[in-house]
Amino acid sequence: MQKYVIKGNICYSKTSKDLCIVENGYAVCENGRSAGVYETLPKCYEAFPQYDYTGKIVIPGLCDLHVHAPQYPFRGLGMDLELIDWLNTHTFKEEAKYADIEYARRSYTIFANDLLYSATTRACIFGTIHPQATALLMDELEQSGIKAYIGKVNMDRNCPTSLCEQSPEQAFAETEQWIADTSGYKNVKPILTPRFIPTCSDALMEKLSLLQKKYNLPVQSHLSENLGEIQWVSELCPDTAFYGEAYAKYGMFGGSCPTVMAHCVYSKEAEIALMKAQNVFIAHCPESNTNLASGIAPVRTFLDLGICTGLGSDIAAGSSLSIFKAMAMAIQCSKLRWRLVDQSLEPLCIEEAFYLATKGGGAFWGKAGSFEKDYEFDAVVLDDQSLPHPQALSVRERLERLLYLAQDSHIIAKFAGGKNLFERAG
Amino acid sequence: MQKYVIKGNICYSKTSKDLCIVENGYAVCENGRSAGVYETLPKCYEAFPQYDYTGKIVIPGLCDLHVHAPQYPFRGLGMDLELIDWLNTHTFKEEAKYADIEYARRSYTIFANDLLYSATTRACIFGTIHPQATALLMDELEQSGIKAYIGKVNMDRNCPTSLCEQSPEQAFAETEQWIADTSGYKNVKPILTPRFIPTCSDALMEKLSLLQKKYNLPVQSHLSENLGEIQWVSELCPDTAFYGEAYAKYGMFGGSCPTVMAHCVYSKEAEIALMKAQNVFIAHCPESNTNLASGIAPVRTFLDLGICTGLGSDIAAGSSLSIFKAMAMAIQCSKLRWRLVDQSLEPLCIEEAFYLATKGGGAFWGKAGSFEKDYEFDAVVLDDQSLPHPQALSVRERLERLLYLAQDSHIIAKFAGGKNLFERAG
């Protein structure tokens, strides 16, 4: 059913400052796209079937621009180390298990189910180096109806043998085969995924660059997350002036190559300027940056400069898949940064956090993350009656409260690209 | 039933570094107190009735050392201001409503119900200035079985007329009457509650000091939360060398007067030394200090000095009643403080956060917050099967994960002072 109307309190962003709320309104879906939001339903849509969510809150699906599916088993665990030690101690050990397809199946089934019943409708997802396990993850997500870019990870240095691709040639061949095997999905698409510069040799980056051009693929990776990491990259790539150049010199830093980079906690002026010029997306991951004691990214700067920015859960350096939690932590971390680091950068407000989680991140898919006309129709319906209150609350207040208090149990329906993924009793 | 055995994976703190886990163990309750934790049940307890929570995680009840019950309606709302503006814009307006006993009933019924089904078994709670509404709150909590100190708030300056006590004499009389009316409860007890120095005149503090001595009551208040507040106190009390002295000079800062002070974000050496000398408890409220952009308290310093410290939700500057969330945020904020402010203070670890939430805060009630022998028997049973995982996890890992991921729905039973408050299907 690709033509229908959702009745409810419709909330969506037009800009990072402009949160539109239409109480007792109508969001219209036609052929998988929004046909607009209306206070009174136009005659031409009266014959469309209606989902009646009167009194409930209807928002665009949330976008998770950075999440590691194979790390989901150890979310909430072992976050007492900084990035590089954390990778070596916990992450690589867990990711090596995905050579075993049965383990991968057990794990990815859990991940896909939890993502389905979250508020996330779109995600940029890291797998592992294993093509078979990554294809299985893509199968799972394709079936769920969630719109996702999913990457087989590439890495060939500074990692355990079990996770190390044997040669750039082999990496090229396996990745090309994986692209061929997984390009036919409707909801999920392959994305090139060099893990990060410390684990990717120049020769590997060269090969990935060829694949990127040949198949016109988007790219996801990590950038300027941690001070030790940045120092290491400067040693590994003495010919670069800053970290981002190590991707840019292989043509994998925006421009004709749609790119999303996680973190950018310590990106300096030149790096930020290049991201802006090349339309590189930033996945801001406040919980991850907190848990690994990386720091706090200057999101106010990104917004002021008009850099494409969204939010990431960054499982498992982030403990929670919830992009509601990412919104709350984005605000909270921006306040601590303002207090402790730099009072020239105003903390984020509710409108901005909501924008980042919806239209900001959704832009990586083109027109997604809003109910404006022609946007892909992703919607999440929230029933907040289990959060009772003695006073009257406006819809704006109920939405604000949900940024802090929403749990998956509040979600009673979800739609992605026009398709109803589930509906359940409130 | 005051004699029983709980079978399960028993987890409790002995010290801030020493987390004891007895897998498939037995926690024994006798006359409302712990008779110890055992790997094999001693013969003398074999005849006790058993709660069989095999496979589940059993922890001491959590302690919330600082929560404002009347602010519960606006949790998650309006946190875009710093302390004093937030009080004037949101808090005082809401608290004034509690002159209306019907509003108070509607609100406090919600608060008491949500607190009951949380993991909190003990709490230090602020009411409003209204004796009748505060007595109603005490009724509600008494019935729930939660152990709580609850305070009628005192304040007589720098606040709206509707929340301003008319004279120190009237405040004395009303507060004394309220003490008389509410001292007969079993689970809840009155606590003197001068809101904070900016809203309490010297004359009022003098009167409260008389009541404190006459009835030997504990005291709760706020201390050194925000830089503007601290500056204001120094102007209001030019005869004090630091904020804490403004309480100490009225005998309401520990010593023979059990005292809990919320926040202490900016307490300097002399203030910390006096708290240590007087056994003043600190309620560390990391979410509140984040949401109001106050800063991050140096909890590592408090622990190293052996200062009595627990956690507070600080509703509604904190958005959540969950002391699990307070544990996670205590760790997270300590990491950001380490990264951004002072690398001489190591971040908190899981053991320390768990200690703060249980035995650390529980000490305000004497022997509470642990399963060590003779401790008051408070227990919470957690069923984490809705957090599936493909790999094996130790009990320690399951507990660690719950600090970040626990929701009220994971709680399947709760006991306070030996009494079973509820049990439900997992």
Side-chain angles (χ1 to χ4, degrees):
Chain A
M1 183 174 76
Q2 293 281 294
K3 286 184 178 192
Y4 54 86
V5 173
I6 293 181
K7 188 177 176 187
N9 297 307
I10 319 287
C11 309
Y12 63 103
S13 293
K14 283 186 177 168
T15 70
S16 65
K17 304 279 186 207
D18 190 7
L19 173 61
C20 300
I21 296 181
V22 181
E23 289 190 44
N24 293 311
Y26 302 85
V28 179
C29 174
E30 195 165 13
N31 302 321
R33 295 196 170 257
S34 173
V37 174
Y38 302 94
E39 290 186 15
T40 308
L41 191 63
K43 279 228 175 310
C44 54
Y45 302 126
E46 277 180 358
F48 283 23
Q50 277 196 24
Y51 290 95
D52 185 355
Y53 292 122
T54 302
K56 308 298 186 283
I57 291 178
V58 184
I59 62 173
L62 306 185
C63 301
D64 186 345
L65 284 191
H66 187 67
V67 53
H68 294 262
Q71 297 176 17
Y72 197 58
F74 69 100
R75 69 198 185 282
L77 290 172
M79 300 185 294
D80 52 344
L81 298 169
E82 283 192 80
L83 174 64
I84 304 299
D85 291 335
W86 175 80
L87 285 170
N88 288 315
T89 307
H90 299 293
T91 310
F92 290 157
K93 273 180 198 148
E94 181 66 23
E95 289 194 11
K97 296 181 187 171
Y98 290 75
D100 173 359
I101 195 71
E102 284 314 313
Y103 186 83
R105 189 184 313 278
R106 218 154 66 231
S107 176
Y108 284 151
T109 306
I110 295 169
F111 173 79
N113 184 69
D114 284 5
L115 193 64
L116 173 60
Y117 290 102
S118 78
T120 298
T121 49
R122 291 174 190 262
C124 291
I125 306 177
F126 278 56
T128 59
I129 66 160
H130 312 97
Q132 209 189 343
T134 306
L136 187 150
L137 173 63
M138 294 171 90
D139 280 344
E140 289 283 344
L141 270 289
E142 174 72 12
Q143 285 165 40
S144 76
I146 289 166
K147 304 287 183 180
Y149 287 109
I150 300 181
K152 176 202 124 45
V153 168
N154 291 106
M155 52 203 283
D156 72 340
R157 65 176 176 185
N158 297 316
C159 55
T161 316
S162 55
L163 279 184
C164 199
E165 294 181 296
Q166 293 311 299
S167 69
E169 292 70 27
Q170 183 226 17
F172 182 94
E174 277 200 3
T175 305
E176 187 166 38
Q177 184 61 50
W178 164 75
I179 294 165
D181 292 346
T182 62
S183 289
Y185 292 120
K186 179 171 172 287
N187 301 312
V188 306
K189 302 284 173 199
I191 183 168
L192 274 184
T193 306
R195 182 177 206 110
F196 70 151
I197 294 299
T199 61
C200 298
S201 69
D202 288 358
L204 176 61
M205 293 295 283
E206 190 64 58
K207 290 292 186 194
L208 295 180
S209 162
L210 295 176
L211 283 174
Q212 194 281 317
K213 285 183 193 71
K214 186 168 175 186
Y215 296 98
N216 198 23
L217 290 180
V219 166
Q220 61 182 350
S221 194
H222 300 87
L223 182 66
S224 298
E225 173 176 3
N226 166 290
L227 293 168
E229 170 211 23
I230 293 168
Q231 176 59 29
W232 195 13
V233 171
S234 75
E235 290 158 16
L236 290 165
C237 307
D239 58 329
T240 58
F242 51 86
Y243 193 160
E245 273 195 1
Y247 298 106
K249 72 179 181 179
Y250 297 104
M252 296 192 286
F253 203 64
S256 63
C257 166
T259 301
V260 56
M261 288 284 160
H263 307 307
C264 304
V265 176
Y266 294 104
S267 295
K268 296 230 172 88
E269 217 167 293
E271 188 163 276
I272 290 176
L274 188 57
M275 286 189 279
K276 165 74 179 162
Q278 298 282 96
N279 287 320
V280 172
F281 277 70
I282 296 176
H284 174 48
C285 305
E287 200 204 345
S288 163
N289 299 155
T290 297
N291 288 332
L292 299 189
S294 301
I296 303 173
V299 188
R300 165 67 55 222
T301 303
F302 305 155
L303 284 174
D304 284 354
L305 292 173
I307 290 176
C308 304
T309 310
L311 298 177
S313 66
D314 196 18
I315 293 289
S319 66
S320 169
L321 268 181
S322 169
I323 297 299
F324 285 109
K325 182 164 186 179
M327 285 191 248
M329 283 204 74
I331 295 171
Q332 291 172 326
C333 287
S334 74
K335 288 175 177 172
L336 289 177
R337 196 178 196 284
W338 173 83
R339 166 59 63 204
L340 303 174
V341 180
D342 182 354
Q343 300 218 351
S344 78
L345 298 184
E346 284 259 302
L348 299 184
C349 64
I350 297 291
E351 283 73 8
E352 290 165 330
F354 187 76
Y355 168 84
L356 289 171
T358 55
K359 194 174 176 182
F364 195 67
W365 284 262
K367 288 190 168 183
S370 178
F371 292 127
E372 290 167 288
K373 257 194 183 163
D374 296 327
Y375 272 63
E376 294 195 58
F377 197 89
D378 301 351
V380 167
V381 184
L382 298 160
D383 180 347
D384 59 352
Q385 70 182 337
S386 67
L387 301 169
H389 46 94
Q391 83 281 40
L393 287 180
S394 67
V395 172
R396 166 66 173 70
E397 288 171 319
R398 289 166 58 198
L399 178 65
E400 175 175 355
R401 204 171 66 143
L402 283 167
L403 262 62
Y404 293 89
L405 302 178
Q407 299 182 343
D408 289 353
S409 57
H410 296 119
I411 304 168
I412 57 168
K414 181 163 149 178
F415 304 77
K419 185 170 175 250
N420 177 228
L421 307 195
F422 69 82
E423 248 200 311
R424 65 180 171 205
Chain B
M1 183 173 75
Q2 294 282 290
K3 287 185 178 192
Y4 55 85
V5 174
I6 294 181
K7 189 177 177 188
N9 297 307
I10 320 286
C11 309
Y12 63 104
S13 292
K14 283 186 176 166
T15 69
S16 65
K17 304 278 185 208
D18 189 7
L19 173 62
C20 301
I21 296 181
V22 180
E23 289 190 43
N24 293 312
Y26 302 86
V28 179
C29 174
E30 196 166 14
N31 302 322
R33 292 193 174 261
S34 173
V37 174
Y38 303 93
E39 289 185 15
T40 310
L41 190 65
K43 281 230 173 310
C44 55
Y45 302 126
E46 278 181 355
F48 284 23
Q50 276 196 24
Y51 290 94
D52 185 354
Y53 291 121
T54 303
K56 307 297 186 286
I57 290 179
V58 184
I59 62 172
L62 305 186
C63 301
D64 187 345
L65 285 190
H66 188 67
V67 52
H68 293 262
Q71 297 175 18
Y72 196 58
F74 68 99
R75 68 197 186 285
L77 290 172
M79 300 186 294
D80 53 344
L81 299 169
E82 283 194 79
L83 175 63
I84 304 300
D85 290 334
W86 175 79
L87 286 171
N88 288 316
T89 307
H90 299 293
T91 311
F92 291 158
K93 272 180 198 148
E94 180 65 24
E95 291 195 10
K97 297 180 187 170
Y98 290 75
D100 172 359
I101 196 71
E102 284 316 313
Y103 185 84
R105 188 184 315 278
R106 218 155 66 232
S107 176
Y108 284 152
T109 305
I110 295 169
F111 173 78
N113 184 69
D114 284 5
L115 193 63
L116 173 60
Y117 291 102
S118 79
T120 298
T121 51
R122 289 173 192 263
C124 291
I125 306 177
F126 279 56
T128 58
I129 65 160
H130 312 97
Q132 209 190 342
T134 307
L136 187 151
L137 173 63
M138 295 172 89
D139 281 345
E140 289 284 341
L141 270 289
E142 174 72 10
Q143 285 166 41
S144 75
I146 288 167
K147 305 287 184 180
Y149 287 110
I150 300 180
K152 178 201 122 44
V153 168
N154 292 107
M155 52 205 284
D156 73 338
R157 66 176 175 184
N158 297 315
C159 54
T161 316
S162 55
L163 279 183
C164 198
E165 294 181 296
Q166 293 312 297
S167 69
E169 293 69 28
Q170 184 228 15
F172 182 94
E174 277 200 1
T175 305
E176 186 165 39
Q177 185 60 51
W178 165 75
I179 295 165
D181 292 345
T182 62
S183 289
Y185 291 118
K186 180 171 170 286
N187 300 313
V188 305
K189 303 285 175 199
I191 183 169
L192 276 183
T193 306
R195 181 174 208 114
F196 71 150
I197 295 298
T199 61
C200 298
S201 69
D202 289 357
L204 175 61
M205 291 297 282
E206 190 65 58
K207 290 292 185 192
L208 295 180
S209 163
L210 296 175
L211 283 175
Q212 194 282 318
K213 286 183 192 70
K214 185 168 175 186
Y215 295 98
N216 197 25
L217 289 180
V219 165
Q220 63 182 350
S221 195
H222 300 86
L223 183 65
S224 299
E225 174 178 0
N226 167 288
L227 293 167
E229 171 211 22
I230 294 168
Q231 175 60 28
W232 195 12
V233 170
S234 76
E235 289 159 16
L236 291 165
C237 308
D239 58 329
T240 58
F242 51 87
Y243 194 160
E245 273 195 2
Y247 298 106
K249 73 178 181 178
Y250 297 105
M252 295 192 286
F253 203 64
S256 64
C257 167
T259 302
V260 57
M261 287 285 161
H263 306 307
C264 304
V265 176
Y266 294 103
S267 295
K268 296 230 173 87
E269 217 168 293
E271 188 163 278
I272 291 176
L274 187 58
M275 286 190 278
K276 165 76 178 159
Q278 298 282 95
N279 287 319
V280 172
F281 277 69
I282 296 176
H284 174 49
C285 305
E287 200 205 344
S288 163
N289 299 154
T290 298
N291 288 333
L292 299 189
S294 301
I296 303 173
V299 189
R300 165 67 55 221
T301 302
F302 306 155
L303 284 174
D304 284 353
L305 291 172
I307 291 176
C308 304
T309 310
L311 298 177
S313 66
D314 196 19
I315 294 290
S319 68
S320 169
L321 268 180
S322 169
I323 298 298
F324 285 110
K325 181 163 187 181
M327 286 191 246
M329 283 206 75
I331 294 172
Q332 291 171 327
C333 287
S334 74
K335 288 174 177 172
L336 289 177
R337 197 179 195 284
W338 173 83
R339 165 60 63 206
L340 303 174
V341 180
D342 182 355
Q343 299 219 352
S344 77
L345 299 183
E346 283 260 301
L348 300 183
C349 63
I350 297 291
E351 283 73 9
E352 290 166 329
F354 188 76
Y355 168 85
L356 289 172
T358 56
K359 196 175 176 181
F364 195 67
W365 283 264
K367 288 189 167 184
S370 177
F371 292 128
E372 291 168 286
K373 258 194 181 164
D374 297 327
Y375 272 64
E376 294 194 60
F377 196 89
D378 301 351
V380 166
V381 184
L382 299 161
D383 181 347
D384 59 353
Q385 70 182 337
S386 66
L387 301 169
H389 46 94
Q391 83 281 43
L393 288 180
S394 68
V395 172
R396 165 68 172 70
E397 287 172 319
R398 289 166 57 198
L399 179 64
E400 176 176 354
R401 204 171 66 142
L402 283 167
L403 261 62
Y404 292 89
L405 302 177
Q407 299 182 344
D408 289 353
S409 57
H410 296 118
I411 304 169
I412 57 167
K414 181 162 149 178
F415 303 78
K419 185 169 175 252
N420 177 228
L421 306 195
F422 71 82
E423 249 198 311
R424 65 177 169 204

